[in-house]
Amino acid sequence: MKVVKPALPSPDKRWKIVDAKMRRFGYQGHALIETLHAVQQSFGYLDEEALRFVVKALHVPPSRVYGVATFYNFFTLKPQGVHTCVVCLGTACYVKGAERVLAAIERAAGIKSGETTPDNQLSLLTVRCIGACAIAPAVVYDGNVSGKQTAEQAVEKLKGYLHNAA
Amino acid sequence: MLLEELIGIAEKQREVRKQICVRCCMSAGCMSSQSAEVKTALEKAVAERQMGDLIEVRRVGCMGLCGPGPLVSVEPNSLLYEHVTPENAGSIIDALTSAGPIKAERCDPQHPFFTRQTLVVRANGGRIDPERIEDYIEAGGYRALHHVLTEMQPPQAIEAIIKSGLRGRGGAGYPTGLKWATVAKSVGKQKFVVCNGDEGDPGAFMDRSVLESDPHSVIEGMAIAGYAIGADQGFIYVRAEYPLAISRLQVAIRQAKQHGLIGSAIFESTFNFNVDIRIGAGAFVCGEETALMASIEGKRGQPRPRPPFPAESGLWGFPTLINNVETFANIAPIINRGPEWYAGFGTEKSKGTKVFALTGKIQNTGLIEVPMGITIREIVEELGGGAPEGAKLKAVQTGGPSGGCIPAEHFDASIDYESLTQLGSIMGSGGMVVMDDQTNMVEVARFYMQFCMEESCGKCVPCRAGTVQMYHLLAKIAARQATMKDLELLEELCDLVKNTSLCGLGQTAPNPVLSTLRYFRNEYLELLQPAG
Amino acid sequence: MAVKTLTIDGKHVGAEESETILEAATDAGINIPTLCHLDGLTNVAACRLCLVEVAGTKKLLPSCVTKVAEGMEVKTDTERLRKYRLMILELLFAERNHVCSVCVSNGHCELQSRAHQLGMMHVRFQYLYPNALVDASHERFVVDHNRCILCTRCVRVCDEIEGAHTWDVMGRGTASRVITDLNQPWGTSESCTSCGKCVHVCPTGALFEKGRSVAEMAKRREFLPYLAMMREGAR
């Protein structure tokens, strides 16, 4: 069967990365999750334009694409803030007081887990377990893991973020 | 690649080795405490002191004791340093030549945490550079694959695994050899080998550490499995939360391909085997094998009823072998040293060693590998060093959200599949979270139920709607608003969800409640309102 | 085709080896309650109402996907099973906003008739009262998420019989919802052929035809066995 390749949504170079990923899988439907990873890595989130492009390129029903995109925690349909702060809520972190750390961050940033500050500087997220249990509680600031966090340390770190952004 | 070339690589490695090797842990745990900067500082110190001919600084994988990281070890001097900083790293080099005092903190490598361990899966952890295939080959890597391909027929390889007594290290403990034999017997024009690296249990990081520290051991184990069952394609499913493990695997697969250790006509035999990575996207249920396969196929990770089992109808309907990371990492050592050697560790029904992630309220946190049959007390008190000052240990949680809490009075129980099940918990993948008397058990049960509720895929009714109701009842009890009637309803629900759910996630979701009710019922009763 | 003999609730039954326990029981006039199962669609074993006890195994087995075997002893109506089925129904009623008195399917609803059949008197669980929406954007049909039990019959009929795959499920756990295309109003769906099969396989009043008032929405499913038979013949 000849593969009909849809045109890239825009000249934005990032679409080429997404397209390359799909090509590696021969534009087959089972590349869906890998493709969504590539979109999110390139654009930060999955918007409607991207989802529609993936639907066409992989010949997967739109409802299945949406179903997959919303099944997995890792995918987000909303743009994220400039900085991200991910609090691990695994068991070891929980036993060592991660909930207190999260509560302090929520108070300081004025947002709840899963939200982004109105100035779009910080997104606060939680995660099931990042496997940094020996140095619990762990918080991931902009992709970098910090272990043995206290509420005070976390809030201090965040101040830096919000201050720098202002 | 031929055996001579393999030996050649190992010999060349030995020739270029320097007299002193300074190893710096570059696993995710230590890297979060600046071990990359420490390594740079060590290298700089060696260069400044012009000791490059004598001392080598090597990136290595996890040394196990993750709590006081970053760790640096020095061989052959058997020195170990903890909490090393970029500032005091140079003094480690100075001390080697008596040029200055050691400013880094010493750590005792003779501590029971290290001496009580038996290293099989983690033998290369903290010793080899995980990003250099030459290091793995020098440590004897890919010799087992060569042996199997040139000296054994597939049934003999399966026989060896059966004889070793190895059981699945992902949690359920199904005999690995029997699983291989079933897939080998299945008929299909294609077969697959899948490595389950979706280590979802919170509090567990054994598989992360194996993938970060010794990725080739997993690839070699998968290739041997492929030969034994007649598969030419393998997939490693790794969770997206482990970026370092993913990148080290990518490097390892590329190197193995370049060296002809995976790919076509491996060791000039007729055996072909390729390995690809699939990255998870954050769903605990994908650790269940049918959900994991759905996810590899690019679908929602929802389990389906078994039978048919993956051994008959797995990925895209083809016979598929699924084992977890630690299981595959055991394969090459079993082939190299013989099934009898492996079966010499452990108990009658649980052979070999098991890696545990020791965390929570305990002195020494990190990874340990111990023979099956060791007691919880030995792990907690000897290796773990007991409770932190002033605390009193209350329970150990094993098996994550599918497991249970084992109270202190049962700490003398032996660690094997059967006795943990008898105690109302499970072996699970190896997470061991220690709790002290500050921990409220109703809260622990609520914590796990929230986890199961949020990770339920939503397919079957008992798990989808039952976990929500159990969570509400636990929250009601914790808020001192519940009566005896609510507790009875909770127990009825536990029974329902355990016996009627479609997959393992639902069937085991009540375990944290049931085990805390079994051992700490008073904590529940104290919170109840009098019936009115 | 080999024939297997087994007993279901003490009754001796003969069935082809490819048949499920549910099919064998139905043929023998033994009723096992179901919700997600529908003749002509693949089985997903999701509702767990059809679980039965089989001698020799501690696990309860979903009769819709478990094949018959020689000498099998099946029990479909024990006290334990009745208790579990009742609780599953209670869980479903508490999960969304099921109000029979104002429902178009009142009197024609499978959820309602199961509850009646199994003698459900009240719900002991806390009602979750989710904020579920009604989408009436389609010119002929309506989806009311308050009444959806996530049996996925609509998803399966649309994919397996109509071949449109307009429906799927989004989210997970109790937050799951059936969706059309990219979770857009049904009326704007580009893949929907407006065939109405989903409406008629829906066991409750979650999917219905516009213009129907309380108790007026009886479902017509004759097309499904007919289509299944025609396809079987074409093979």
Side-chain angles (χ1 to χ4, degrees):
Chain A
M1 199 181 78
K2 194 173 162 276
V3 180
V4 186
K5 213 180 102 185
L8 302 183
S10 76
D12 191 326
K13 276 190 187 130
R14 288 175 290 182
W15 288 115
K16 293 216 167 106
I17 300 171
V18 176
D19 191 57
K21 177 70 97 180
M22 293 193 286
R23 197 181 325 120
R24 247 194 61 211
F25 288 87
Y27 297 95
Q28 293 185 69
H30 64 80
L32 179 54
I33 293 173
E34 292 286 318
T35 307
L36 294 179
H37 270 304
V39 173
Q40 183 153 312
Q41 216 162 32
S42 306
F43 295 90
Y45 71 111
L46 312 171
D47 67 359
E48 196 183 317
E49 184 187 36
L51 293 180
R52 290 202 182 278
F53 173 61
V54 172
V55 164
K56 278 202 190 115
L58 297 180
H59 299 280
V60 178
S63 58
R64 206 185 115 195
V65 172
Y66 200 88
V68 167
T70 53
F71 182 85
Y72 295 98
N73 278 348
F74 207 74
F75 297 131
T76 168
L77 305 180
K78 287 181 293 189
Q80 299 294 297
V82 177
H83 297 284
T84 56
C85 169
V86 186
V87 182
C88 180
L89 293 184
T91 319
C93 291
Y94 166 81
V95 171
K96 293 270 186 92
E99 285 190 329
R100 280 194 301 278
V101 176
L102 177 63
I105 294 174
E106 286 182 336
R107 255 197 320 278
I111 50 171
K112 293 266 168 219
S113 158
E115 294 177 350
T116 302
T117 50
D119 63 358
N120 204 35
Q121 285 304 315
L122 179 74
S123 287
L124 178 59
L125 303 158
T126 56
V127 69
R128 286 275 161 247
C129 179
I130 55 166
C133 317
I135 48 168
V139 180
V140 189
Y141 304 99
D142 282 340
N144 298 313
V145 182
S146 292
K148 299 180 181 168
Q149 292 291 288
T150 63
E152 293 73 31
Q153 282 173 324
V155 169
E156 194 56 38
K157 180 97 182 177
L158 238 70
K159 266 184 196 153
Y161 277 10
L162 295 168
H163 177 74
N164 286 344
Chain B
M1 173 70 74
L2 289 165
L3 181 63
E4 293 73 47
E5 295 172 67
L6 205 62
I7 295 170
I9 291 173
E11 276 172 359
K12 195 169 160 224
Q13 277 294 108
R14 268 172 224 124
E15 278 165 26
V16 300
R17 282 274 172 254
K18 287 164 194 165
Q19 211 176 328
I20 297 174
C21 183
V22 178
R23 300 187 175 110
C24 180
C25 175
M26 297 277 272
S27 231
C30 284
M31 281 184 78
S32 74
S33 353
Q34 286 193 306
S35 74
E37 289 82 353
V38 169
K39 179 165 173 274
T40 311
L42 287 167
E43 282 163 347
K44 202 171 141 229
V46 171
E48 278 174 1
R49 292 157 183 77
Q50 295 176 339
M51 308 282 286
D53 293 335
L54 187 68
I55 303 174
E56 170 200 12
V57 178
R58 193 191 301 182
R59 158 183 53 203
V60 294
C62 182
M63 299 190 197
L65 189 62
C66 310
L71 296 183
V72 171
S73 76
V74 181
E75 288 295 335
N77 314 39
S78 292
L79 298 169
L80 188 62
Y81 299 93
E82 59 184 27
H83 296 299
V84 181
T85 63
E87 291 74 37
N88 67 25
S91 72
I92 293 175
I93 306 296
D94 285 339
L96 287 172
T97 53
S98 316
I102 305 174
K103 289 181 196 131
E105 288 174 47
R106 285 285 293 274
C107 178
D108 178 14
Q110 295 308 315
H111 188 278
F113 183 89
F114 298 106
T115 56
R116 290 293 310 263
Q117 295 199 41
T118 305
L119 302 180
V120 176
V121 166
R122 293 192 20 77
N124 287 334
R127 304 192 61 81
I128 67 166
D129 181 339
E131 298 194 21
R132 291 189 74 236
I133 193 170
E134 295 84 356
D135 275 31
Y136 181 68
I137 291 172
E138 186 194 355
Y142 290 105
R143 296 289 282 272
L145 178 61
H146 176 267
H147 180 75
V148 168
L149 291 185
T150 53
E151 313 274 334
M152 288 169 124
Q153 292 297 315
Q156 290 174 288
I158 293 173
E159 190 54 38
I161 303 304
I162 291 177
K163 263 200 208 146
S164 74
L166 176 64
R167 294 169 65 174
R169 296 294 190 243
Y174 190 81
T176 305
L178 286 185
K179 207 184 221 183
W180 288 25
T182 314
V183 190
K185 266 185 248 149
S186 290
V187 184
K189 65 176 189 217
Q190 174 141 34
K191 290 182 190 178
F192 295 107
V193 174
V194 173
C195 173
N196 185 346
D198 190 56
E199 186 172 53
D201 288 0
F205 54 101
M206 301 74 52
D207 294 347
R208 171 178 71 73
S209 165
V210 170
L211 293 173
E212 284 175 1
S213 310
D214 198 8
H216 286 286
S217 69
V218 178
I219 297 170
E220 188 178 4
M222 287 177 73
I224 293 170
Y227 175 72
I229 65 156
D232 63 0
Q233 175 67 51
F235 290 103
I236 307 184
Y237 187 91
V238 192
R239 54 201 302 253
E241 289 85 343
Y242 291 172
L244 185 63
I246 293 167
S247 80
R248 292 219 167 130
L249 260 180
Q250 282 165 337
V251 170
I253 290 173
R254 198 169 58 235
Q255 291 173 344
K257 263 186 199 156
Q258 279 165 358
H259 284 76
L261 293 165
I262 54 173
S264 310
I266 300 168
F267 287 116
E268 304 199 338
S269 70
T270 54
F271 176 61
N272 308 326
F273 192 73
N274 279 302
V275 178
D276 280 319
I277 303 176
R278 287 291 180 279
I279 299 169
F284 174 68
V285 69
C286 286
E288 197 276 345
E289 57 185 17
T290 60
L292 184 146
M293 292 190 304
S295 190
I296 290 181
E297 292 174 12
K299 298 175 186 158
R300 290 164 61 82
Q302 292 192 311
R304 60 156 177 80
R306 297 175 303 180
F309 287 91
E312 312 150 43
S313 173
L315 268 180
W316 295 289
F318 295 110
T320 303
L321 171 77
I322 303 190
N323 281 140
N324 107 313
V325 169
E326 192 183 329
T327 311
F328 280 123
N330 271 304
I331 301 301
I334 289 173
I335 298 291
N336 279 330
R337 307 184 66 171
E340 296 79 13
W341 164 78
Y342 192 78
F345 301 112
T347 66
E348 196 198 331
K349 285 183 174 169
S350 303
K351 302 288 186 199
T353 59
K354 175 82 193 84
V355 184
F356 290 98
L358 194 57
T359 62
K361 298 289 183 68
I362 188 149
Q363 290 281 0
N364 306 321
T365 54
L367 285 180
I368 51 167
E369 183 170 9
V370 287
M372 295 276 195
I374 192 170
T375 65
I376 299 172
R377 187 176 307 285
E378 286 172 279
I379 290 188
V380 168
E381 290 179 2
E382 294 180 35
L383 285 86
E389 244 168 88
K392 191 168 170 286
L393 294 189
K394 184 173 179 179
V396 165
Q397 209 281 348
T398 70
S402 313
C405 295
I406 299 167
E409 66 256 33
H410 287 293
F411 276 7
D412 288 316
S414 137
I415 292 189
D416 57 69
Y417 291 98
E418 281 71 27
S419 69
L420 288 181
T421 308
Q422 236 173 33
L423 287 171
S425 187
I426 57 166
M427 175 78 71
S429 57
M432 213 175 244
V433 186
V434 183
M435 296 168 179
D436 66 4
D437 53 3
Q438 299 296 303
T439 317
N440 177 292
M441 292 321 224
V442 180
E443 281 296 331
V444 169
R446 194 182 67 98
F447 166 82
Y448 278 115
M449 195 51 70
Q450 180 174 7
F451 181 94
C452 291
M453 169 179 83
E454 290 172 6
E455 293 299 327
S456 167
C457 82
K459 181 171 180 175
C460 79
V461 181
C463 174
R464 182 184 77 224
T467 51
V468 178
Q469 295 292 351
M470 287 194 282
Y471 174 76
H472 280 307
L473 286 166
L474 286 165
K476 198 173 170 187
I477 294 169
R480 297 178 181 271
Q481 288 166 353
T483 63
M484 197 61 203
K485 246 184 146 167
D486 291 305
L487 187 61
E488 285 163 10
L489 189 59
L490 176 66
E491 293 191 278
E492 270 190 64
L493 257 175
C494 286
D495 178 53
L496 172 86
V497 176
K498 181 178 175 167
N499 289 299
T500 65
S501 293
L502 193 157
C503 82
L505 191 158
Q507 288 159 9
T508 59
N511 281 356
V513 184
L514 290 170
S515 82
T516 49
L517 271 171
R518 176 168 162 187
Y519 296 115
F520 305 97
R521 198 177 184 85
N522 265 339
E523 294 191 25
Y524 284 82
L525 296 177
E526 278 163 15
L527 292 166
L528 294 184
Q529 292 279 318
Chain C
M1 185 60 76
V3 171
K4 305 282 176 191
T5 54
L6 60 153
T7 63
I8 305 180
D9 295 341
K11 193 172 171 178
H12 288 279
V13 173
E16 285 177 10
E17 66 176 353
S18 62
E19 282 192 290
T20 62
I21 295 174
L22 178 63
E23 285 166 332
T26 309
D27 291 345
I30 295 164
N31 178 281
I32 301 174
T34 58
L35 264 179
C36 63
H37 164 81
L38 189 64
D39 275 334
L41 300 180
T42 55
N43 285 304
V44 288
C47 75
R48 315 308 279 175
L49 278 188
C50 77
L51 290 177
V52 293
E53 292 177 15
V54 174
T57 168
K58 266 190 276 177
K59 279 197 167 176
L60 303 174
L61 301 176
S63 59
C64 65
V65 293
T66 307
K67 297 269 191 287
V68 294
E70 187 60 40
M72 212 179 214
E73 290 171 42
V74 182
K75 285 186 185 156
T76 74
D77 195 28
T78 64
E79 197 181 327
R80 180 174 178 221
L81 289 172
R82 277 199 297 273
K83 182 183 151 200
Y84 286 160
R85 286 172 186 154
L86 205 57
M87 281 175 90
I88 288 171
L89 287 176
E90 286 180 71
L91 287 173
L92 280 173
F93 273 94
E95 190 179 27
R96 300 270 172 112
N97 308 306
H98 296 279
V99 189
C100 300
S101 56
V102 297
C103 179
V104 289
S105 284
N106 191 2
H108 315 286
C109 170
E110 288 181 51
L111 179 65
Q112 188 185 37
S113 64
R114 290 300 161 272
H116 184 71
Q117 181 190 345
L118 293 165
M120 193 184 98
M121 303 306 283
H122 65 293
V123 172
R124 290 170 296 168
F125 303 118
Q126 181 186 335
Y127 282 93
L128 302 180
Y129 299 121
N131 184 13
L133 301 176
V134 180
D135 175 1
S137 59
H138 193 282
E139 59 172 351
R140 286 167 51 208
F141 311 125
V142 183
V143 52
D144 181 349
H145 292 284
N146 292 291
R147 299 165 183 162
C148 176
I149 57 168
L150 294 169
C151 69
T152 68
R153 282 187 192 177
C154 54
V155 177
R156 285 175 281 155
V157 80
C158 186
D159 177 58
E160 296 166 14
I161 306 293
E162 180 61 9
H165 203 120
T166 299
W167 291 102
D168 210 315
V169 180
M170 70 164 278
R172 69 179 184 211
T174 205
S176 304
R177 294 280 185 275
V178 289
I179 52 163
T180 50
D181 287 2
L182 289 183
N183 189 27
Q184 62 204 62
W186 192 357
T188 68
S189 161
E190 291 138 42
S191 63
C192 177
T193 62
S194 300
C195 71
K197 290 187 178 73
C198 53
V199 172
H200 288 282
V201 299
C202 174
T204 70
L207 292 172
F208 60 97
E209 291 169 347
K210 274 190 177 167
R212 304 282 178 167
S213 183
V214 173
E216 289 181 356
M217 186 65 228
K219 308 267 168 118
R220 300 181 302 276
R221 301 200 178 120
E222 300 75 20
F223 73 91
L224 197 54
Y226 173 74
L227 282 178
M229 196 177 70
M230 293 299 282
R231 285 186 183 192
E232 202 61 39
R235 244 171 240 151

